[in-house]
Each structure stands twice: as structure tokens, then as C-alpha cells.
Coordinates of all heavy atoms in Angstrom, one line a residue:
M267 N 0.9 -23.1 -12.7 CA -0.1 -22.3 -12.1 C 0.0 -20.9 -12.5 O 1.1 -20.3 -12.3 CB 0.0 -22.6 -10.6 CG -1.2 -22.0 -9.9 SD -1.2 -22.6 -8.2 CE -1.9 -21.2 -7.5
K268 N -1.0 -20.3 -12.9 CA -0.9 -18.8 -13.3 C -1.2 -18.0 -12.1 O -2.1 -18.2 -11.3 CB -2.1 -18.6 -14.4 CG -1.9 -17.3 -15.0 CD -2.9 -17.2 -16.2 CE -2.8 -15.9 -16.9 NZ -3.7 -15.7 -18.0
R269 N -0.3 -16.9 -11.9 CA -0.4 -16.1 -10.8 C -1.4 -14.9 -11.2 O -1.5 -14.4 -12.3 CB 0.9 -15.4 -10.4 CG 1.7 -16.4 -9.7 CD 3.0 -15.7 -9.2 NE 3.7 -16.5 -8.4 CZ 4.8 -16.2 -7.8 NH1 5.2 -14.9 -7.8 NH2 5.5 -17.0 -6.9
L270 N -2.0 -14.3 -10.2 CA -2.8 -13.1 -10.3 C -1.9 -12.0 -10.3 O -1.1 -11.8 -9.4 CB -3.8 -13.1 -9.1 CG -4.6 -11.7 -9.1 CD1 -5.6 -11.7 -10.2 CD2 -5.3 -11.7 -7.7
R271 N -2.0 -11.1 -11.5 CA -1.2 -10.0 -11.5 C -2.1 -8.8 -11.9 O -2.9 -9.0 -12.8 CB -0.1 -10.1 -12.6 CG 0.9 -11.2 -12.2 CD 2.1 -11.2 -13.2 NE 2.9 -9.9 -12.8 CZ 3.9 -9.5 -13.5 NH1 4.2 -10.1 -14.6 NH2 4.5 -8.5 -13.1
I272 N -2.0 -7.7 -11.2 CA -2.8 -6.5 -11.5 C -2.0 -5.5 -12.1 O -0.8 -5.3 -11.8 CB -3.4 -6.1 -10.1 CG1 -4.2 -7.1 -9.5 CG2 -4.2 -4.8 -10.3 CD1 -4.7 -6.8 -8.1
N273 N -2.5 -4.9 -13.1 CA -1.8 -3.9 -13.9 C -1.4 -2.7 -13.1 O -1.8 -2.4 -12.0 CB -2.5 -3.5 -15.2 CG -3.7 -2.7 -15.0 OD1 -4.0 -2.2 -13.9 ND2 -4.5 -2.5 -16.1
A274 N -0.5 -1.9 -13.6 CA 0.2 -0.8 -12.9 C -0.8 0.2 -12.4 O -0.8 0.6 -11.1 CB 1.2 -0.1 -13.7
L275 N -1.8 0.7 -13.2 CA -2.7 1.8 -12.8 C -3.6 1.2 -11.7 O -3.8 2.0 -10.7 CB -3.4 2.4 -14.0 CG -4.4 3.5 -13.7 CD1 -3.7 4.6 -13.1 CD2 -5.2 3.9 -14.9
T276 N -4.1 0.1 -11.9 CA -5.0 -0.5 -11.0 C -4.4 -0.7 -9.6 O -4.9 -0.5 -8.6 CB -5.6 -1.8 -11.4 OG1 -6.2 -1.6 -12.7 CG2 -6.7 -2.3 -10.6
S277 N -3.1 -1.1 -9.7 CA -2.3 -1.3 -8.4 C -2.1 -0.1 -7.7 O -2.3 0.1 -6.4 CB -0.9 -1.9 -8.7 OG -1.1 -3.2 -9.3
D278 N -1.9 1.0 -8.4 CA -1.7 2.4 -7.8 C -3.0 2.8 -7.1 O -2.9 3.3 -6.0 CB -1.3 3.4 -8.8 CG 0.2 3.1 -9.4 OD1 0.9 2.5 -8.7 OD2 0.5 3.7 -10.5
I279 N -4.1 2.5 -7.8 CA -5.3 2.9 -7.2 C -5.7 2.1 -6.0 O -6.1 2.6 -4.9 CB -6.4 2.9 -8.2 CG1 -6.2 3.9 -9.3 CG2 -7.9 3.0 -7.6 CD1 -7.1 3.7 -10.5
I280 N -5.4 0.8 -6.0 CA -5.7 -0.1 -4.9 C -4.8 0.4 -3.7 O -5.3 0.4 -2.6 CB -5.4 -1.6 -5.3 CG1 -6.6 -2.0 -6.2 CG2 -5.4 -2.4 -4.1 CD1 -6.3 -3.4 -6.8
I281 N -3.5 0.6 -3.9 CA -2.6 1.0 -2.9 C -3.0 2.3 -2.2 O -3.1 2.5 -1.0 CB -1.1 1.0 -3.4 CG1 -0.7 -0.4 -3.7 CG2 -0.2 1.7 -2.3 CD1 0.6 -0.4 -4.4
S282 N -3.5 3.3 -3.1 CA -3.9 4.6 -2.6 C -5.1 4.4 -1.6 O -5.2 5.0 -0.7 CB -4.2 5.5 -3.7 OG -3.1 5.7 -4.5
I283 N -6.1 3.6 -2.2 CA -7.3 3.5 -1.4 C -7.0 2.7 -0.1 O -7.5 3.1 1.0 CB -8.4 2.7 -2.3 CG1 -8.9 3.6 -3.4 CG2 -9.5 2.3 -1.4 CD1 -9.8 2.9 -4.3
Y284 N -6.1 1.8 -0.2 CA -5.7 0.9 1.0 C -5.0 1.9 2.1 O -5.4 1.8 3.3 CB -4.7 -0.1 0.7 CG -4.2 -1.0 1.7 CD1 -5.0 -2.0 2.3 CD2 -2.9 -0.8 2.2 CE1 -4.6 -2.8 3.3 CE2 -2.5 -1.5 3.3 CZ -3.3 -2.5 3.8 OH -2.8 -3.3 4.9
V285 N -4.2 2.8 1.7 CA -3.5 3.7 2.6 C -4.5 4.6 3.3 O -4.4 4.8 4.5 CB -2.4 4.5 1.9 CG1 -1.9 5.6 2.7 CG2 -1.2 3.6 1.5
I286 N -5.4 5.1 2.4 CA -6.5 6.1 3.0 C -7.4 5.3 4.0 O -7.6 5.9 5.1 CB -7.2 6.7 1.9 CG1 -6.3 7.7 1.1 CG2 -8.4 7.4 2.4 CD1 -6.9 8.2 -0.2
V287 N -7.8 4.2 3.7 CA -8.7 3.4 4.5 C -7.9 3.0 5.9 O -8.6 3.1 6.9 CB -9.3 2.2 3.8 CG1 -10.0 1.2 4.8 CG2 -10.3 2.8 2.7
T288 N -6.8 2.5 5.7 CA -6.0 2.1 6.9 C -5.6 3.3 7.9 O -5.7 3.1 9.0 CB -4.8 1.3 6.6 OG1 -3.9 2.1 5.7 CG2 -5.2 -0.1 5.9
L289 N -5.4 4.4 7.3 CA -5.1 5.6 8.1 C -6.4 6.0 8.8 O -6.4 6.4 10.0 CB -4.6 6.8 7.3 CG -3.1 6.7 6.9 CD1 -2.7 7.9 6.0 CD2 -2.3 6.7 8.2
Y290 N -7.5 6.0 8.0 CA -8.8 6.4 8.8 C -9.2 5.4 9.9 O -9.5 5.8 10.9 CB -9.9 6.3 7.6 CG -11.3 6.5 8.2 CD1 -11.7 7.7 8.7 CD2 -12.1 5.4 8.4 CE1 -13.0 7.9 9.3 CE2 -13.4 5.5 8.9 CZ -13.8 6.8 9.4 OH -15.0 6.9 10.0
F291 N -8.9 4.1 9.5 CA -9.1 3.0 10.5 C -8.3 3.2 11.8 O -8.8 3.2 12.9 CB -9.0 1.7 9.9 CG -9.1 0.5 11.0 CD1 -10.3 0.2 11.4 CD2 -8.0 -0.2 11.3 CE1 -10.5 -0.9 12.3 CE2 -8.1 -1.3 12.2 CZ -9.4 -1.5 12.7
R292 N -7.1 3.6 11.6 CA -6.1 3.7 12.7 C -6.5 4.9 13.5 O -6.6 4.9 14.7 CB -4.7 3.9 12.2 CG -4.0 2.6 11.9 CD -2.6 2.8 11.4 NE -1.7 3.5 12.4 CZ -0.6 4.0 12.2 NH1 -0.1 4.0 11.0 NH2 0.0 4.6 13.2
F293 N -6.8 6.0 12.9 CA -7.1 7.2 13.6 C -8.5 7.1 14.4 O -8.7 7.5 15.6 CB -7.3 8.5 12.7 CG -5.9 8.9 12.2 CD1 -5.8 9.4 10.9 CD2 -4.9 8.9 13.0 CE1 -4.5 9.8 10.4 CE2 -3.5 9.3 12.6 CZ -3.4 9.8 11.3
K294 N -9.5 6.4 13.8 CA -10.8 6.2 14.4 C -10.6 5.2 15.6 O -11.1 5.4 16.6 CB -11.7 5.5 13.4 CG -13.0 5.4 13.9 CD -14.0 5.0 12.8 CE -15.3 4.5 13.2 NZ -16.3 5.4 13.8
L295 N -9.8 4.2 15.4 CA -9.6 3.2 16.5 C -8.9 3.8 17.7 O -9.2 3.6 18.8 CB -8.9 1.9 15.9 CG -8.6 0.8 17.0 CD1 -10.0 0.2 17.3 CD2 -7.7 -0.2 16.4
E296 N -7.8 4.6 17.3 CA -7.0 5.2 18.3 C -7.8 6.3 19.2 O -7.6 6.4 20.4 CB -5.8 5.9 17.8 CG -4.9 5.0 17.3 CD -3.7 5.6 16.5 OE1 -3.6 6.9 16.6 OE2 -2.9 4.9 16.0
S297 N -8.8 6.9 18.6 CA -9.5 7.9 19.3 C -10.7 7.3 20.1 O -11.0 7.8 21.1 CB -10.2 9.0 18.3 OG -11.2 8.3 17.4
E298 N -11.1 6.1 19.7 CA -12.2 5.4 20.5 C -11.6 4.5 21.6 O -12.3 4.3 22.6 CB -13.0 4.5 19.5 CG -13.8 5.3 18.6 CD -14.6 4.4 17.6 OE1 -14.4 3.1 17.6 OE2 -15.3 4.9 16.7
T299 N -10.3 4.0 21.5 CA -9.8 3.3 22.5 C -8.6 3.9 23.1 O -8.0 4.9 22.5 CB -9.4 1.9 22.0 OG1 -8.4 2.1 21.0 CG2 -10.6 1.1 21.4
A300 N -8.1 3.5 24.2 CA -6.8 4.1 24.8 C -5.6 3.3 24.4 O -5.0 2.7 25.0 CB -7.0 4.0 26.3
T301 N -5.2 3.6 23.0 CA -4.1 2.9 22.5 C -2.9 4.0 22.7 O -3.1 5.1 22.5 CB -4.2 2.6 21.0 OG1 -4.5 3.8 20.3 CG2 -5.2 1.5 20.8
G302 N -1.7 3.4 22.9 CA -0.5 4.3 22.9 C 0.2 4.3 21.7 O -0.2 3.7 20.7
P303 N 1.3 5.0 21.7 CA 2.1 5.2 20.5 C 2.7 3.8 20.0 O 2.9 3.6 18.8 CB 3.2 6.1 20.9 CG 3.1 6.3 22.4 CD 1.9 5.8 22.8
F304 N 3.1 2.9 20.9 CA 3.6 1.6 20.6 C 2.7 0.8 19.9 O 2.9 0.1 18.8 CB 4.1 1.0 21.8 CG 4.9 -0.4 21.5 CD1 6.0 -0.4 20.9 CD2 4.2 -1.6 21.9 CE1 6.7 -1.6 20.6 CE2 4.9 -2.7 21.5 CZ 6.1 -2.8 20.9
E305 N 1.4 0.7 20.3 CA 0.4 0.0 19.7 C 0.1 0.6 18.3 O -0.2 -0.1 17.3 CB -0.9 -0.1 20.5 CG -0.9 -0.9 21.8 CD -0.3 -0.2 22.9 OE1 -0.2 1.1 22.8 OE2 -0.1 -0.6 24.1
S306 N 0.1 1.9 18.2 CA -0.2 2.5 16.9 C 1.0 2.2 15.9 O 0.6 1.9 14.7 CB -0.2 4.0 17.1 OG -0.4 4.6 15.9
L307 N 2.1 2.1 16.4 CA 3.3 1.8 15.4 C 3.2 0.3 15.0 O 3.5 0.0 13.9 CB 4.6 2.0 16.1 CG 5.0 3.5 16.3 CD1 6.3 3.6 17.1 CD2 5.2 4.1 14.9
I308 N 2.8 -0.5 15.8 CA 2.7 -2.0 15.6 C 1.6 -2.1 14.5 O 1.7 -2.9 13.6 CB 2.4 -2.8 16.8 CG1 3.7 -2.8 17.7 CG2 2.1 -4.2 16.4 CD1 5.0 -3.4 17.1
M309 N 0.4 -1.5 14.7 CA -0.7 -1.5 13.8 C -0.2 -1.1 12.5 O -0.6 -1.7 11.4 CB -1.9 -0.8 14.4 CG -3.2 -1.1 13.6 SD -4.6 -0.3 14.3 CE -4.2 0.5 15.8
G310 N 0.4 0.1 12.4 CA 0.8 0.7 11.1 C 1.8 -0.3 10.4 O 1.8 -0.4 9.2
L311 N 2.8 -0.9 11.2 CA 3.7 -1.8 10.6 C 3.1 -3.0 10.1 O 3.4 -3.4 9.0 CB 4.7 -2.2 11.7 CG 5.8 -3.1 11.2 CD1 6.7 -2.4 10.3 CD2 6.6 -3.6 12.4
C312 N 2.0 -3.5 10.7 CA 1.2 -4.7 10.1 C 0.6 -4.3 8.8 O 0.6 -5.1 7.8 CB 0.2 -5.1 11.2 SG 0.9 -6.0 12.7
F313 N 0.0 -3.1 8.7 CA -0.6 -2.7 7.5 C 0.4 -2.5 6.3 O 0.1 -2.9 5.2 CB -1.4 -1.4 7.7 CG -2.7 -1.5 8.5 CD1 -3.0 -0.6 9.4 CD2 -3.5 -2.6 8.3 CE1 -4.2 -0.6 10.1 CE2 -4.7 -2.6 9.0 CZ -5.1 -1.7 9.9
V314 N 1.6 -2.0 6.7 CA 2.6 -1.8 5.7 C 3.2 -3.2 5.2 O 3.4 -3.4 4.0 CB 3.8 -1.0 6.2 CG1 5.0 -1.0 5.4 CG2 3.2 0.4 6.4
V315 N 3.3 -4.2 6.1 CA 3.7 -5.5 5.8 C 2.9 -6.2 4.8 O 3.2 -6.9 3.9 CB 4.0 -6.4 7.1 CG1 4.2 -7.8 6.8 CG2 5.3 -5.8 7.8
I316 N 1.6 -5.9 5.0 CA 0.5 -6.6 4.0 C 0.8 -6.0 2.6 O 0.9 -6.9 1.7 CB -0.9 -6.3 4.5 CG1 -1.1 -7.0 5.9 CG2 -2.0 -6.7 3.5 CD1 -2.4 -6.7 6.5
I317 N 0.9 -4.8 2.4 CA 1.2 -4.2 1.1 C 2.5 -4.6 0.6 O 2.6 -5.0 -0.6 CB 1.1 -2.6 1.2 CG1 -0.4 -2.2 1.3 CG2 1.7 -2.0 0.0 CD1 -1.2 -2.4 0.0
W318 N 3.5 -4.6 1.4 CA 4.9 -5.0 1.0 C 4.8 -6.5 0.5 O 5.4 -6.9 -0.6 CB 5.8 -4.9 2.1 CG 7.2 -5.4 1.9 CD1 8.2 -4.7 1.1 CD2 7.7 -6.6 2.2 NE1 9.2 -5.5 1.1 CE2 9.1 -6.6 1.7 CE3 7.2 -7.7 2.9 CZ2 9.9 -7.8 1.9 CZ3 8.1 -8.8 3.1 CH2 9.4 -8.8 2.6
A319 N 4.1 -7.4 1.2 CA 4.1 -8.8 0.8 C 3.4 -8.9 -0.5 O 3.8 -9.7 -1.5 CB 3.4 -9.6 1.8
L320 N 2.3 -8.1 -0.8 CA 1.6 -8.2 -2.1 C 2.4 -7.7 -3.2 O 2.4 -8.2 -4.3 CB 0.2 -7.5 -2.0 CG -0.8 -8.1 -1.2 CD1 -2.0 -7.2 -1.0 CD2 -1.2 -9.4 -1.7
I321 N 3.3 -6.8 -3.0 CA 4.2 -6.2 -4.0 C 5.3 -7.2 -4.3 O 5.7 -7.5 -5.4 CB 4.8 -4.8 -3.7 CG1 3.7 -3.8 -3.7 CG2 5.8 -4.4 -4.5 CD1 4.0 -2.4 -3.1
K322 N 5.8 -7.8 -3.3 CA 6.9 -8.8 -3.4 C 6.5 -10.0 -4.1 O 7.2 -10.6 -4.8 CB 7.5 -9.2 -2.0 CG 8.4 -8.2 -1.5 CD 9.6 -7.9 -2.5 CE 10.9 -7.9 -1.8 NZ 11.9 -7.5 -2.8
L323 N 5.1 -10.4 -3.9 CA 4.6 -11.6 -4.6 C 4.2 -11.3 -6.0 O 3.7 -12.1 -6.7 CB 3.4 -12.1 -3.7 CG 3.8 -12.8 -2.4 CD1 2.5 -13.1 -1.7 CD2 4.6 -14.0 -2.6
K324 N 4.4 -10.0 -6.4 CA 4.0 -9.5 -7.7 C 2.5 -9.6 -8.1 O 2.1 -9.6 -9.2 CB 4.7 -10.3 -8.8 CG 6.3 -10.3 -8.7 CD 6.9 -9.1 -9.4 CE 8.4 -9.3 -9.3 NZ 9.0 -8.1 -9.2
V325 N 1.8 -9.5 -7.0 CA 0.3 -9.4 -7.2 C 0.0 -7.9 -7.5 O -0.8 -7.7 -8.5 CB -0.5 -9.8 -5.9 CG1 -1.9 -9.6 -6.0 CG2 -0.2 -11.3 -5.6
L326 N 0.6 -7.0 -6.8 CA 0.5 -5.6 -7.0 C 1.7 -5.1 -7.8 O 2.8 -5.5 -7.4 CB 0.3 -4.8 -5.8 CG -1.0 -5.0 -5.0 CD1 -1.0 -4.2 -3.7 CD2 -2.2 -4.7 -5.9
N327 N 1.5 -4.4 -8.8 CA 2.7 -3.9 -9.6 C 2.6 -2.4 -9.7 O 2.1 -1.8 -10.7 CB 2.7 -4.5 -10.9 CG 2.8 -6.1 -10.9 OD1 3.7 -6.6 -10.4 ND2 1.7 -6.6 -11.5
P328 N 3.0 -1.7 -8.6 CA 2.8 -0.2 -8.6 C 3.8 0.5 -9.6 O 4.9 0.0 -9.9 CB 3.2 0.2 -7.3 CG 4.1 -0.9 -6.7 CD 3.6 -2.2 -7.4
N329 N 3.3 1.5 -10.2 CA 4.0 2.3 -11.1 C 4.1 3.8 -10.6 O 4.7 4.6 -11.1 CB 3.3 2.4 -12.5 CG 4.1 3.1 -13.5 OD1 5.3 3.2 -13.4 ND2 3.4 3.6 -14.5
W330 N 3.7 4.0 -9.4 CA 3.6 5.2 -8.6 C 3.1 6.4 -9.5 O 3.6 7.5 -9.5 CB 5.0 5.5 -8.1 CG 5.5 4.4 -7.4 CD1 6.6 3.7 -7.8 CD2 5.1 3.8 -6.2 NE1 6.9 2.6 -6.9 CE2 6.0 2.7 -5.9 CE3 4.1 4.1 -5.3 CZ2 5.8 1.9 -4.8 CZ3 3.9 3.3 -4.2 CH2 4.8 2.2 -3.9
F331 N 2.0 6.0 -10.3 CA 1.3 6.9 -11.2 C 2.2 7.6 -12.2 O 2.0 8.7 -12.7 CB 0.6 8.0 -10.4 CG -0.5 7.5 -9.5 CD1 -0.4 7.3 -8.1 CD2 -1.7 7.1 -10.1 CE1 -1.4 6.8 -7.4 CE2 -2.7 6.5 -9.3 CZ -2.6 6.4 -8.0
G332 N 3.3 6.9 -12.5 CA 4.2 7.4 -13.6 C 5.2 8.5 -13.1 O 5.8 9.1 -13.9
L333 N 5.3 8.7 -11.8 CA 6.2 9.7 -11.2 C 7.7 9.4 -11.4 O 8.4 10.4 -11.5 CB 5.9 9.9 -9.8 CG 4.5 10.6 -9.5 CD1 4.3 10.7 -8.0 CD2 4.4 11.9 -10.1
F334 N 8.0 8.1 -11.3 CA 9.5 7.8 -11.4 C 9.9 7.2 -12.7 O 10.8 6.3 -12.7 CB 9.8 6.9 -10.2 CG 9.5 7.5 -8.9 CD1 8.6 7.0 -8.1 CD2 10.3 8.7 -8.6 CE1 8.2 7.6 -6.9 CE2 9.9 9.3 -7.3 CZ 8.9 8.7 -6.4
N335 N 9.2 7.5 -13.8 CA 9.7 7.0 -15.1 C 11.0 7.6 -15.5 O 11.2 8.8 -15.4 CB 8.7 7.3 -16.2 CG 7.4 6.5 -16.0 OD1 7.4 5.4 -15.4 ND2 6.4 6.8 -16.7
S336 N 11.9 6.7 -15.8 CA 13.3 7.2 -16.1 C 13.5 7.3 -17.7 O 14.5 7.5 -18.1 CB 14.3 6.2 -15.5 OG 14.1 4.9 -16.0
K337 N 12.4 7.0 -18.4 CA 12.5 7.0 -19.9 C 12.7 8.6 -20.3 O 11.9 9.3 -19.9 CB 11.3 6.5 -20.5 CG 11.2 5.0 -20.3 CD 10.0 4.4 -20.9 CE 9.8 3.0 -20.6 NZ 8.5 2.5 -21.1
K338 N 13.6 8.8 -21.1 CA 13.9 10.1 -21.8 C 13.2 10.2 -23.1 O 13.2 9.2 -23.9 CB 15.3 10.5 -21.8 CG 16.0 10.5 -20.4 CD 17.4 10.9 -20.6 CE 18.1 11.0 -19.2 NZ 19.5 11.3 -19.2
A339 N 12.7 11.3 -23.4 CA 12.0 11.6 -24.7 C 13.2 11.7 -25.8 O 14.2 12.2 -25.6 CB 11.2 12.8 -24.7
K340 N 12.9 10.9 -26.9 CA 13.8 11.0 -28.0 C 13.7 12.3 -28.8 O 12.6 12.7 -29.1 CB 13.6 9.8 -28.9 CG 13.9 8.5 -28.2 CD 13.6 7.3 -29.2 CE 13.9 6.0 -28.5 NZ 13.7 4.8 -29.5
P341 N 14.8 12.9 -29.1 CA 14.7 14.2 -29.8 C 14.4 14.0 -31.3 O 14.5 13.1 -31.9 CB 16.2 14.7 -29.7 CG 17.1 13.7 -29.2 CD 16.2 12.6 -28.7

């Protein structure tokens, strides 16, 4: 069975959009309802676990926009 694998740049874009949307959702939900810090932490942890699971399953393959490349240029 062939797995779904998303390339590095697309994964980076998806993760960035996911983080922005979930932060917006959390702030909007917290301002509209009376949630406390514990509920906010649990909600944030759930959102992080979803991304972590997709990375561990190799569906998302982040490259962090090339920030942590350890390749050195050859002289």
C-alpha cells in the first residue's frame, strides 16, 4: 500500500497555515467563552499532537524552510 507523502516545501506551508489558523481559533474561542488557562493548554496540546502524529507517520515532511540545513558548501 502506497502512503501519502507531501514534499518538504508543501509540508512547511501546511504546518505554517495550520499553526496560524489554530492560534486564531484558540484566541477567538477563548475570548467568546469563559475558558481558563487549563482548558487553553489542553486545546493547544491537542492541536500539537495532531501535527506531531502527521509528522511521525511521514505524511508531512517538514524542512523548516531550509533553516536547519547542515550541508556545507564545497570550496
Side-chain angles (χ1 to χ4, degrees):
M267 187 169 148
K268 190 174 182 179
R269 286 187 171 185
L270 174 67
R271 295 191 76 190
I272 300 173
N273 66 13
L275 181 61
T276 307
S277 294
D278 291 340
I279 293 170
I280 289 172
I281 291 171
S282 299
I283 291 171
Y284 179 81
V285 168
I286 291 168
V287 167
T288 56
L289 280 175
Y290 173 76
F291 176 71
R292 280 181 61 195
F293 290 142
K294 184 173 169 69
L295 183 68
E296 288 173 11
S297 67
E298 292 176 357
T299 61
T301 59
F304 184 70
E305 290 89 4
S306 176
L307 287 173
I308 295 298
M309 191 177 354
L311 182 65
C312 291
F313 288 139
V314 169
V315 166
I316 291 169
I317 283 292
W318 176 79
L320 288 173
I321 291 172
K322 282 304 226 183
L323 291 173
K324 304 272 188 213
V325 174
L326 295 175
N327 302 299
N329 188 21
W330 311 112
F331 295 106
L333 292 176
F334 300 115
N335 285 345
S336 61
K337 297 178 183 178
K338 296 182 180 179
K340 294 181 182 179

